[in-house]
Amino acid sequence: MKTLYVTEVTSTGGRNGHVQSTDGVLDFEVKMPKELGGSGEGYTNPEQLFAAGYAACFGSALDLIISKSGIKLESEPVTNAKVGIGPNDKGGFQLSVTLAVSIPDLAKDKVLKLVEKAHEICPYSNATRNNIDVQLEVL
């Protein structure tokens, strides 16, 4: 693979700590969510950050597929990423993802075909494929 971009973020203190990117754009505290025993209030957590990254990345993959297909839309597609965390059978934890996409201008069957194509090229989808459960939904 020819690397086109590299970013770097350092975490201190894990889920109840601080994250900072080398360029300083990310620089904030993270806290464990209440559901996992933390205070959570007013802070982000790794699952939210993963969901944000996956939704944005998938949205870009979807935009590329739409552009290549020549479809002209009246409104922008919306991608929602729901990330769950729970125990696995090895004593650790694993993630699950539901990607829900809305493109009001198109019939749901056409949207589903676009979403499935985007799922094939999205870097997050490729990184998670066969590692975690990812469900695709059309709204």
Side-chain angles (χ1 to χ4, degrees), residues 16-70:
N16 289 303
H18 189 264
V19 294
Q20 183 174 9
S21 60
T22 53
D23 63 5
V25 172
L26 293 178
D27 187 359
F28 50 82
E29 289 187 52
V30 293
K31 298 289 181 192
M32 195 173 303
K34 283 184 177 184
E35 296 82 354
L36 298 178
S39 65
E41 291 183 27
Y43 296 92
T44 192
N45 59 64
E47 291 72 36
Q48 285 180 338
L49 295 171
F50 186 77
Y54 204 159
C57 189
F58 194 86
S60 288
L62 185 60
D63 288 344
L64 179 62
I65 294 298
I66 291 168
S67 174
K68 284 185 173 185
S69 70

Side-chain angles (χ1 to χ4, degrees), residues 38-138:
S39 65
E41 291 183 27
Y43 296 92
T44 192
N45 59 64
E47 291 72 36
Q48 285 180 338
L49 295 171
F50 186 77
Y54 204 159
C57 189
F58 194 86
S60 288
L62 185 60
D63 288 344
L64 179 62
I65 294 298
I66 291 168
S67 174
K68 284 185 173 185
S69 70
I71 296 172
K72 302 293 183 209
L73 299 174
E74 295 294 319
S75 59
E76 288 191 54
V78 175
T79 301
N80 175 279
K82 185 187 299 185
V83 173
I85 185 171
N88 64 18
D89 58 3
K90 297 176 183 161
F93 293 87
Q94 67 187 41
L95 300 176
S96 64
V97 176
T98 300
L99 295 171
V101 175
S102 173
I103 306 177
D105 304 354
L106 297 176
K108 285 187 178 185
D109 62 326
K110 289 183 181 179
V111 175
L112 181 59
K113 288 179 183 174
L114 294 169
V115 166
E116 288 171 342
K117 287 180 183 178
H119 190 48
E120 291 299 316
I121 68 164
C122 174
Y124 274 68
S125 293
N126 288 329
T128 60
R129 187 168 286 110
N130 300 320
N131 293 311
I132 66 173
D133 181 37
V134 177
Q135 300 293 318
L136 303 175
E137 292 182 359
V138 173

